[in-house]
Amino acid sequence: MAQHKRASSHPYIPNMIPEVQRQMLDEIGVERIEDLYQIIPDELKLKKEMDMPPALSEQELRRHVSRLLNRNESTQDVVSFLGAGCWPHFIPAVCDEINQRSEFVTAYAGEPYEDHGRFQALFEYQSLMAELLDMDVVNVPTFDWAQAASTSLRMAARMNGRTEVLLAGTIDKDKLKIIVNYITPDLSYQLVDFRTESGELDLQDLRNKITSNTAAVYFENPSFFGTIESQGRQIADIVHEVDAVCVVGVDPISLGVLKPPSQYGADIVCGDLQPLGMHMNYGGGQAGFIATRNEEKYVMEYPSRLFGIAPTIVEGEYGFGDVAYERTSFHDREKGKESVGTQTALWGITAGVYLALLGPHGMQELGQTIMQKSQYAAKLLGEIEGMSVRLQSPFFKEFVADFTKTGLTVEEVQKQLRIEGIQGGHDLSADFPELGQSMLLCVTEVHTQEDIELLAAALKRICSRGMKGVEC
């Protein structure tokens, strides 16, 4: 009996059998698969067969992917002083243990009747963050700090109906791109200058640029450069003189030792949760928060979910659920104030675990440890010939090291450090040329005295070679 060869599906791509494809196309009501892509302009379409390598077997594919992954180096392999938005911090094992529980890690949306503790866990997270920030209301996390800042600015503009915002000139340029993309074309923006000797905002430039159409002013404390903005109250007063909203971005791990922005005039506080129990991940591990006072004008402008506690019909029993759900984009969909989409709720639970584990005294001790180690690193590096520590304001965990006088570029310094098994800091020279050949270095509780002295010794050798070249 003759054997008829039957087309089979691809091992990784489903629905490749012609009969199945035909059935699906008929159901959709189109003749060809290409008809599904009519919306894509012709000039963007590839008009030839793709030059694809032969399909690998599962064993070959595993080996290939493993070989690629083994080329990566993590902060477990090298000593890293890189921060600039994703920082190395110690992650207690309990954070991973709890956030990987099935009732949390698989709970995508959920409702009270089918949710097994996620609403309560997020309520506890919000409560802990509110205490840390000295604010009343905290949202379920957004994607990252950049989105939290962008949403905060949009909230401010919706409240006062204005169309301009002012942003600190010290802001990370990557974050700036996201904010600008998020707020335009509804809102326009200007950058406020900063003083290159201290890193603090130029108050006169702020006064010159603020107007009656300014919806909000945004600055960060500590700034992207790590410096502590001592003029917070003065900035807030200038903002409030024109009835604008003062928005402050903050690294929450700094609040064990620094005053929260609410205590120097911030109306909206936002930031990133990654320092609170999240591993450094390429393309993940980020979550943003927004916090305000418990005033209706602020609460009703949150586009994201808020969880509250309320008594049930059973005396002494309480339940957890959405607060004013009708104000969210989940409720209004295309008519929503913003489309928040999926939120990083799992990281909110993780941050709640972290804060509950450390408590107030732990956060204070942690902050002091970080500051002591970063100050020690800056002292050692400042003693190296040709190097200097820029921006003489006090700083928290990051500081700016200037290599201009050594005759070396930051790129050259980084390459030399990698040869010695060290990952240097973030290169500021392209985004902030006014700071010369400068590098943003990050020192936290994970760095030992030996790590810091290893960095200082390596930089001393590298700078010495550079200085000899300058002398020649």
Side-chain angles (χ1 to χ4, degrees), residues 440-455:
L440 183 65
L441 288 157
C442 176
V443 178
T444 72
E445 76 281 5
V446 302
H447 296 105
T448 65
Q449 180 177 345
E450 181 183 4
D451 294 336
I452 295 169
E453 291 173 354
L454 181 70
L455 172 67

Side-chain angles (χ1 to χ4, degrees), residues 22-38:
R22 183 70 265 159
Q23 183 181 356
M24 294 173 67
L25 292 172
D26 290 342
E27 181 69 25
I28 296 169
V30 296
E31 181 60 31
R32 305 175 308 144
I33 290 177
E34 289 74 14
D35 294 337
L36 298 173
Y37 306 110
Q38 287 180 345

Side-chain angles (χ1 to χ4, degrees), residues 354-414:
Y354 184 92
L355 291 172
L357 182 67
L358 266 71
H361 297 297
M363 289 295 288
Q364 182 181 31
E365 182 180 347
L366 175 61
Q368 290 174 339
T369 299
I370 291 173
M371 290 196 76
Q372 288 168 353
K373 291 189 174 186
S374 63
Q375 305 297 320
Y376 178 63
K379 178 179 179 295
L380 290 186
L381 269 53
E383 294 171 350
I384 297 173
E385 184 181 3
M387 276 190 64
S388 63
V389 175
R390 293 289 300 266
L391 309 179
Q392 295 306 308
S393 293
F395 55 88
F396 179 56
K397 65 186 180 187
E398 291 174 286
F399 60 92
V400 177
D402 188 352
F403 295 89
T404 305
K405 292 182 180 178
T406 67
L408 297 168
T409 65
V410 174
E411 183 179 7
E412 290 169 334
V413 173
Q414 287 175 326

